[in-house]
């Protein structure tokens, strides 16, 4: 119900703004009534406003990430725009937009996030250090609550649920906290934490890296 409500509000708002208002405004004010040109401009505006423009200038990795998102939004915007132009009915693009967002909200926030939280909760309640001795050492040094919080953070980042952290998982997790690392920076972090050079960060390595 929440996903449907959010998707409906988003679909109505964005289609009204970009297709219902921006498209004819561009067409009539700048292109002498050429709705195709108006559609191109409104779609570009739609795509740009769904990215972080400043991200293009942060680093090479940020540029690639934002370019990928821009292309995705151009495809989405073009699809909704074509539906509107083909039917002449704004309700059609609103419904299509709302259905797309319903799926996205449901899949991302209710399925993926809920599943990840359930996985993290389950792993947090289990012994996850390499031995009871190691776990006991961390409890004595930093406290049981600290270890529990460290476990939860680790397994929330472990999106493929393999019990280790890859460079990509670490980078994405830090990005969600507002910490943007370039590929080179995330490789340096992985190199420092991955003491056995296995190519991924195990839980014991993670504790050694954040614990001292």
């Amino acid at each position: 119900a929440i996903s449907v409500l959010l998707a409906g509000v988003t679909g109505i708002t964005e289609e009204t703004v970009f297709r219902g208002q921006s498209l004819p405004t561009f067409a009539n004010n700048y292109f002498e009534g050429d709705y195709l040109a108006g559609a191109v401009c409104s779609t570009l505006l739609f795509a740009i406003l769904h990215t972080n423009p400043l991200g293009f200038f942060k680093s090479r990795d940020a540029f690639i990430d934002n370019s990928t998102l821009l292309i995705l939004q151009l495809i989405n915007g073009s699809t909704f725009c074509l539906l509107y132009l083909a039917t002449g009915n704004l309700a059609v693009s609103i419904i299509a937009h709302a259905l797309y967002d319903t799926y996205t909200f449901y899949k991302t926030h209710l399925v993926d996030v809920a599943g990840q939280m359930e996985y993290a909760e389950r792993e947090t309640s289990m012994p996850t250090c390499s031995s009871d001795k190691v776990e006991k050492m961390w409890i004595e040094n930093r406290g049981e609550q600290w270890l529990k919080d460290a476990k939860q953070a680790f397994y929330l980042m472990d999106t493929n649920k393999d019990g280790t952290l890859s460079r990509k998982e670490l980078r994405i997790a830090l990005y969600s906290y507002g910490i943007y690392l370039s590929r080179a920076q995330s490789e340096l972090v992985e190199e420092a934490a991955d003491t056995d050079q296995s190519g991924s960060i195990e839980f014991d390595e993670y504790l050694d890296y954040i614990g001292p």
Side-chain angles (χ1 to χ4, degrees), residues 58-78:
K58 288 184 177 180
S59 68
R60 179 175 176 274
D61 288 333
F63 179 83
I64 293 173
D65 290 344
N66 276 276
S67 296
T68 302
L69 180 58
L70 180 64
I71 292 170
L72 174 62
Q73 295 302 335
L74 281 171
I75 294 171
N76 289 340
S78 297

Side-chain angles (χ1 to χ4, degrees), residues 161-191:
K161 301 179 177 62
D162 67 349
T164 64
L165 294 182
S166 66
R167 180 194 64 80
K168 182 179 179 182
E169 287 174 328
L170 180 64
R171 182 168 167 256
I172 291 174
L174 292 176
Y175 184 82
S176 70
Y177 289 113
I179 303 171
Y180 191 86
L181 299 182
S182 67
R183 183 184 181 89
Q185 289 172 323
S186 61
E187 286 176 349
L188 287 175
V189 172
E190 182 186 31
E191 183 179 340

Side-chain angles (χ1 to χ4, degrees), residues 79-110:
T79 301
F80 302 142
C81 194
L82 286 173
L83 286 171
Y84 171 60
L85 291 177
T87 63
N89 189 345
L90 189 62
V92 174
S93 62
I94 289 175
I95 292 171
H97 196 147
L99 288 174
Y100 174 82
D101 282 353
T102 298
Y103 171 78
T104 303
F105 288 146
Y106 178 77
K107 176 83 166 54
T108 303
H109 298 290
L110 299 182

Side-chain angles (χ1 to χ4, degrees), residues 29-58:
N29 292 351
Y30 301 102
F31 299 103
E32 299 180 349
D34 186 343
Y35 266 56
L36 183 58
V40 171
C41 290
S42 63
T43 300
L44 282 172
L45 181 63
F46 172 87
I48 291 170
L49 293 179
H50 280 77
T51 64
N52 175 15
L54 295 179
F56 286 100
F57 306 100
K58 288 184 177 180

